[in-house]
Amino acid sequence: MTDRQLSDLALDARNHAYTPYSNFKVGAALLCADGTVFTGCNVENAAYGSTICAERVALVKAVSEGYRDFAAIAIAGSGEDFCWPCGSCRQMLCEFAPGLRVLAVRQDGQFEAATLDALLPHAFGPAALN
């Protein structure tokens, strides 16, 4: 799957977002090593702390289906800036794929790429518990 295709899936996933408070829709598309893709969208809640980001929705869907090996994720926001994952999402993704390729997508479809370990240096992960 190309970066463009993965970005387009993230842009499409935004359409399912539930954002009555911020009106900032986010979609994510998580590419597994075997080519399977899981999408997610942000789901807000009146108790703001219960809101869940699109990246974590996609990750939890994948893990709940038995997937643990991830190659890339595209995150598409509804703003003019590139949509990078928040700290909580970076930490959750790091649990499974510290070297994950991350595509931050703007609403116009343009994207930038980085690796998760560059976005979350010195991450606390499973190895830290040994």
Side-chain angles (χ1 to χ4, degrees):
M1 171 164 292
T2 67
D3 288 349
R4 168 61 30 222
Q5 291 169 318
L6 193 63
S7 295
D8 287 344
L9 289 172
L11 287 163
D12 289 342
R14 289 182 316 171
N15 295 325
H16 302 291
Y18 175 74
T19 60
Y21 308 105
S22 73
N23 292 313
F24 189 81
K25 296 179 181 306
V26 179
L30 178 62
L31 176 65
C32 300
D34 72 355
T36 303
V37 175
F38 288 89
T39 59
C41 63
N42 56 328
V43 180
E44 294 181 347
N45 189 281
Y48 295 141
S50 298
T51 294
I52 186 166
C53 299
E55 302 94 300
R56 286 183 280 151
V57 169
L59 178 65
V60 169
K61 285 170 63 175
V63 171
S64 71
E65 295 297 322
Y67 290 82
R68 305 279 193 285
D69 193 10
F70 307 112
I73 189 167
I75 304 129
S78 53
E80 294 182 16
D81 290 331
F82 294 102
C83 191
W84 295 100
C86 73
S88 293
C89 290
R90 292 175 192 202
Q91 182 63 45
M92 287 282 294
L93 292 165
C94 181
E95 180 76 11
F96 298 95
L100 186 70
R101 181 170 160 76
V102 178
L103 304 175
V105 186
R106 293 190 315 210
Q107 67 179 355
D108 66 3
Q110 297 299 311
F111 59 87
E112 290 185 351
T115 59
L116 185 58
D117 52 3
L119 296 175
L120 187 63
H122 311 290
F124 183 88
L129 297 175
N130 293 334

